[in-house]
Amino acid sequence: GENVEQHPSTLSVQEGDSAVIKCTYSDSASNYFPWYKQELGKRPQLIIDIRSNVGEKKDQRIAVTLNKTAKHFSLHITETQPEDSAVYFCAARISGGSYIPTFGRGTSLIVHP
Amino acid sequence: GAVVSQHPSRVICKSGTSVKIECRSLDFQATTMFWYRQFPKQSLMLMATSNEGSKATYEQGVEKDKFLINHASLTLSTLTVTSAHPEDSSFYICSASGGQANEKLFFGSGTQLSVL
């Protein structure tokens, strides 16, 4: 089955700095890679996703890059703000409703004002 | 994005009682729903995959007689924690697949279960 490794487990940055979270996956059949942000006690929210036919995707301060050959993908947050503080999860799955997504262990991002 | 509603958001119950959690997809049909359990500061632990009209598929180590899952329609799945005990206390979250390619995963708001 799929195995997703996520690093780092904790990331502390100053407001305005950039933050990068990295994930690797093992199953070359995986073709959809979402990122979720979860605030304490709340549901994970989809913040950005990328499909395997694309190498990079950007949405304002957030970007995701994918290297299919190396089987890794990364989340980049620029100009971080205190409200970006949360736990971020990466995931990998095969497109299709019944395929089980595999989640990373999560990264706790702390943005200091 | 699509909306998944989960109720109740918080339950406090006595040991030995059963608790039912509902998960509804409000604006799309969810042929597949996933149930997760999450401990504080940990990742999402998949409990079972629920397909509409068929029996749920449980992950290894999850007792199917303890955690009853029903997916009777394309918009509703329920998780019943039977004879709950303090060790069942946790945050339970459902999710449903939707989107154009049926690949996006949308989460319910979660249920914090506390068993006394």
Side-chain angles (χ1 to χ4, degrees):
Chain A
E2 176 64 276
N3 182 47
V4 175
E5 298 282 343
Q6 182 173 347
H7 299 280
S9 56
T10 306
L11 181 58
S12 184
V13 300
Q14 288 295 128
E15 183 176 1
D17 288 350
S18 294
V20 181
I21 302 170
K22 298 182 180 181
C23 287
T24 61
Y25 63 100
S26 61
D27 189 350
S28 56
S30 291
N31 58 1
Y32 176 67
F33 308 92
W35 285 89
Y36 292 87
K37 174 184 180 182
Q38 187 180 26
E39 297 176 9
L40 190 63
K42 297 190 176 180
R43 78 182 83 194
Q45 295 271 17
L46 177 67
I47 56 171
I48 196 166
D49 55 11
I50 192 167
R51 295 182 181 86
S52 59
N53 59 349
V54 176
E56 184 174 357
K57 184 176 177 180
K58 197 171 182 180
D59 183 4
Q60 298 183 344
R61 296 186 298 109
I62 294 173
V64 56
T65 58
L66 170 66
N67 184 326
K68 280 194 302 182
T69 304
K71 294 197 190 73
H72 66 70
F73 57 112
S74 301
L75 177 70
H76 304 254
I77 305 174
T78 58
E79 299 172 35
T80 54
Q81 301 166 3
E83 49 266 38
D84 294 330
S85 297
V87 178
Y88 291 80
F89 294 99
C90 64
R93 76 177 302 196
I94 300 171
S95 286
S98 61
Y99 287 103
I100 297 172
T102 302
F103 285 85
R105 289 184 173 270
T107 296
S108 177
L109 174 64
I110 303 165
V111 181
H112 299 280
Chain B
V3 179
V4 176
S5 173
Q6 184 174 342
H7 294 281
S9 58
R10 183 176 292 274
V11 178
I12 301 173
C13 68
K14 291 182 179 180
S15 187
T17 59
S18 293
V19 175
K20 181 187 262 188
I21 302 169
E22 288 191 353
C23 181
R24 293 178 186 273
S25 55
L26 298 185
D27 51 2
F28 67 102
Q29 293 184 331
T31 52
T32 302
M33 287 189 176
F34 303 96
W35 286 94
Y36 294 89
R37 185 172 179 178
Q38 188 176 36
F39 293 103
K41 297 185 179 181
Q42 292 190 24
S43 189
L44 300 155
M45 184 184 80
L46 180 67
M47 298 175 67
T49 302
S50 166
N51 289 298
E52 183 265 337
S54 61
K55 290 184 179 180
T57 303
Y58 289 81
E59 294 300 297
Q60 192 172 9
V62 179
E63 298 176 58
K64 60 181 179 182
D65 295 330
K66 172 80 174 172
F67 300 99
L68 300 178
I69 292 172
N70 184 278
H71 193 160
S73 77
L74 285 171
T75 58
L76 174 64
S77 178
T78 60
L79 166 67
T80 301
V81 183
T82 61
S83 187
H85 288 94
E87 57 266 30
D88 299 324
S89 298
S90 187
F91 192 56
Y92 293 87
I93 315 179
C94 67
S95 67
S97 280
Q100 188 175 2
N102 206 26
E103 64 200 1
K104 295 184 186 290
L105 204 60
F106 300 99
F107 286 88
S109 53
T111 298
Q112 183 64 52
L113 172 63
S114 299
V115 185
L116 305 177

